[in-house]
Amino acid sequence: MNENLFASFIAPTILGLPAAVLIILFPPLLIPTSKYLINNRLVTTQQWLIKLTSKQMMTMHNTKGRTWSLMLVSLIIFIATTNLLGLLPHSFTPTTQLSMNLAMAIPLWAGAVIMGFRSKIKNALAHFLPQGTPTPLIPMLVIIETISLLIQPMALAVRLTANITAGHLLMHLIGSATLAMSTINLPSTLIIFTILILLTILEIAVALIQAYVFTLLVSLYLHDNT
């Protein structure tokens, strides 16, 4: 109970060296691959899910936008596996770090915006000034649209960070309450433990949903600029 509530969000170190890089590189090693002509059920299920996700995200894109399909599929797999591994006891979740999420969001957002300015500069500039805008409101709308464009990567990173961090904090608090009540009142402990199990199931869903939402928003930014 005296443990620091935010101790699990501190980046771990090994012999004084940051271990975050090793943790970030670990999830791809868990993705099964097959060297045989006939895949097993796990690899077949994985390929079906990847195909389904890729099809759903890439349907709205043109030929140029579909060149990002491999990057977006890799992104959703990486975020999903990282979020799920972070639910294990005594583990570290890199996606609770705002700096890492910004490092993912800013390059992807910048790439999509730069592609839009290079290929469709008229349409890209048209977003800053909606058609039929009264002349006195033009400067204000341009400023507002510029701010809304620049804040998109921050919104992506903060959304992912806040959702994952909030879930971990709630699980930590309920787990501590379960441990404290175990020596006081057994029926209350069982009720709180049931809530903890349900919350864990919810967090598994949140981990997958947030990976999908992050990738889908990047896909929408790409669609707006291609």
Side-chain angles (χ1 to χ4, degrees), residues 12-43:
T13 57
I14 300 177
L15 299 177
L17 300 175
V21 176
L22 297 177
I23 297 173
I24 292 172
L25 295 177
F26 180 67
L29 300 178
L30 300 179
I31 301 174
T33 57
S34 177
K35 299 180 181 179
Y36 302 101
L37 182 62
I38 301 177
N39 297 326
N40 56 31
R41 294 180 181 178
L42 181 60
V43 175

Side-chain angles (χ1 to χ4, degrees), residues 182-224:
S182 61
T183 58
I184 301 175
N185 192 332
L186 184 59
S188 300
T189 304
L190 294 176
I191 295 174
I192 299 176
F193 183 69
T194 303
I195 296 175
L196 180 61
I197 293 176
L198 295 176
L199 180 62
T200 304
I201 297 174
L202 177 63
E203 282 305 308
I204 293 174
V206 168
L208 298 175
I209 291 172
Q210 289 304 315
Y212 177 75
V213 169
F214 188 96
T215 310
L216 181 62
L217 289 175
V218 173
S219 178
L220 290 176
Y221 297 155
L222 177 65
H223 177 259
D224 292 338

Side-chain angles (χ1 to χ4, degrees), residues 106-165:
I106 292 178
L108 293 170
W109 166 84
V113 172
I114 292 173
M115 181 182 292
F117 278 101
R118 289 185 61 185
S119 59
K120 299 191 304 180
I121 187 169
K122 290 184 179 180
N123 292 335
L125 293 176
H127 289 295
F128 292 95
L129 190 62
Q131 187 176 4
T133 303
T135 304
L137 297 179
I138 289 178
M140 184 181 297
L141 281 179
V142 170
I143 295 174
I144 293 174
E145 292 296 330
T146 303
I147 294 174
S148 66
L149 177 64
L150 296 177
I151 207 174
Q152 285 177 352
M154 179 63 72
L156 271 178
V158 170
R159 180 185 293 106
L160 179 59
T161 304
N163 281 281
I164 301 301
T165 303

